Amino acid sequence: MMKDNIKNRSNLVAKITQILFLGLIIIGVILFGSALSRSYEKTNNTYSRFTPVIPSSINTPTPSPVFTNKTTNKEKGNATKVTDASKPPLPILNGGNIFNLINQYRSSKGLPFLSVSSELCAIAEGRADLMMANDMEAFKKSATGSHFGLDSTSYSGQGVGENLAANLARDEDVLRKWQSSPPHNELMLWTSKDGTSITKGCIATRVSEVGSIIVLLVGDK
């Protein structure tokens, strides 16, 4: 009888030892897995900080294009141009390349190229400065059919149209952005508007710490 009790106790001790051993193994596996998870998250966070991003401080939708008939607006005189003295010398996007992409798009539709207008280029540069100044205040104020300050722009031609866009990463993104919007797409393909022939154009771009701006102007001179 005593031998049976001793044997039972030995078996119980052995079982307890096995259970404790298995428990230690399970706890070790859980701790190891947790350490790996923390290491993985730390590594990801470290690399994600160096991922370049497009400036996103401006969430204002791209305003719809606008056409101002200058026949009735020439008397308004010269508009005051707002300049941004801190604008960087090298914009992210290439205005000439974007203009060429638009002409290629027009050609694919059987339409003539727009030629570069020095007058429209000068106006576009001023418009880009205006849109970028004061944390892009003028861009935020621009709305469908009413681009801030365009009505008062001094232009010797009969009419001028404008597309605006902001915070795009590549030249081709600008074309796609405007193609996806019917009114912007229509302006890129104009050959005439309200009796005014559209044969000229120009693009200006700006970039700063608050975002980027693209201005397309089209007109007859």
Side-chain angles (χ1 to χ4, degrees):
M1 185 68 174
M2 185 177 295
K3 289 182 179 180
D4 290 338
N5 289 336
I6 294 173
K7 184 177 181 180
N8 289 336
R9 288 177 183 175
S10 297
N11 290 338
L12 179 61
V13 170
K15 288 180 180 181
I16 291 173
T17 302
Q18 289 176 354
I19 291 171
L20 289 175
F21 181 72
L22 288 174
L24 289 174
I25 291 176
I26 292 171
I27 291 171
V29 169
I30 291 173
L31 291 175
F32 181 71
S34 177
L36 284 178
S37 177
R38 287 196 299 272
S39 176
Y40 177 76
E41 290 175 359
K42 183 178 179 181
T43 302
N44 280 351
N45 288 338
T46 300
Y47 280 100
S48 67
R49 293 172 191 164
F50 295 95
T51 302
V53 296
I54 304 169
S56 58
S57 59
I58 305 301
N59 295 317
T60 308
T62 300
S64 293
V66 111
F67 180 79
T68 298
N69 193 313
K70 302 311 291 183
T71 302
T72 58
N73 287 304
K74 287 182 179 179
E75 297 81 8
K76 293 186 178 180
N78 293 332
T80 301
K81 294 182 180 180
V82 180
T83 58
D84 182 2
S86 64
K87 67 184 180 186
L90 296 174
I92 292 174
L93 302 181
N94 187 311
N97 189 38
I98 297 170
F99 193 71
N100 288 336
L101 290 173
I102 291 172
N103 270 333
Q104 291 172 22
Y105 179 48
R106 287 173 64 90
S107 180
S108 72
K109 300 291 185 180
L111 303 176
F113 279 12
L114 295 171
S115 58
V116 175
S117 160
S118 58
E119 183 178 5
L120 285 177
C121 284
I123 296 171
E125 293 295 327
R127 294 286 295 165
D129 284 337
L130 175 63
M131 291 296 155
M132 182 58 73
N134 300 321
D135 196 23
M136 302 171 84
E137 179 181 3
F139 179 78
K140 296 173 186 176
K141 290 181 177 179
S142 296
T144 301
S146 178
H147 289 189
F148 185 86
L150 186 62
D151 284 345
S152 60
T153 298
S154 179
Y155 177 54
S156 66
Q158 296 299 307
V160 59
E162 179 178 76
N163 270 359
L164 297 174
N167 302 329
L168 297 174
R170 300 173 300 174
D171 298 338
E172 53 268 32
D173 292 339
V174 180
L175 179 65
R176 294 192 185 103
K177 177 78 171 179
W178 287 337
Q179 284 176 325
S180 68
S181 165
H184 293 87
N185 185 66
E186 181 183 356
L187 185 143
M188 289 193 294
L189 300 177
W190 277 350
T191 56
S192 65
K193 178 66 175 176
D194 296 344
T196 298
S197 295
I198 304 299
T199 60
K200 307 290 185 179
C202 195
I203 282 187
T205 64
R206 291 290 184 275
V207 64
S208 76
E209 67 279 359
V210 299
S212 65
I213 283 288
I214 306 96
V215 177
L216 165 66
L217 293 182
V218 297
D220 58 307
K221 292 188 68 176

